[in-house]
Amino acid sequence: MEKFATRLKELRTEKGVSQQQVADVVRMSKMAVSHWESGHSEPSIPQLILLSEFFGVTVDYLVGKVDFYN
């Protein structure tokens, strides 16, 4: 999910939040978020749902299935 890594970082930067703040939302470590953004690992489905709710986008957008937010 290379697109996921890119989109997560873009959304986080646009929203002006830190990796730690994202980690707190999904109850993971900052290192996990860093690994997601670098493409070294991927979140679980429940974590994807939490991320989509936090950023106000669809899961399809997060994983690169569609190119629009909602």
Side-chain angles (χ1 to χ4, degrees):
M1 282 196 310
E2 182 180 322
K3 245 189 184 174
F4 168 76
T6 302
R7 292 210 169 150
L8 176 61
K9 188 169 186 174
E10 287 173 354
L11 288 167
R12 183 180 61 75
T13 302
E14 286 173 11
K15 191 166 182 159
V17 296
S18 68
Q19 288 181 339
Q20 184 61 58
Q21 289 170 300
V22 173
D24 291 344
V25 167
V26 294
R27 298 183 193 109
M28 295 292 290
S29 68
K30 177 184 173 220
M31 184 62 70
V33 175
S34 175
H35 284 194
W36 295 344
E37 288 186 0
S38 65
H40 289 111
S41 64
E42 300 170 350
S44 67
I45 290 172
Q47 291 164 333
L48 279 172
I49 293 167
L50 287 171
L51 290 168
S52 73
E53 291 170 350
F54 179 71
F55 289 114
V57 299
T58 64
V59 171
D60 283 351
Y61 177 78
L62 267 177
V63 300
K65 186 175 176 188
V66 297
D67 290 328
F68 50 87
Y69 282 158
N70 299 358

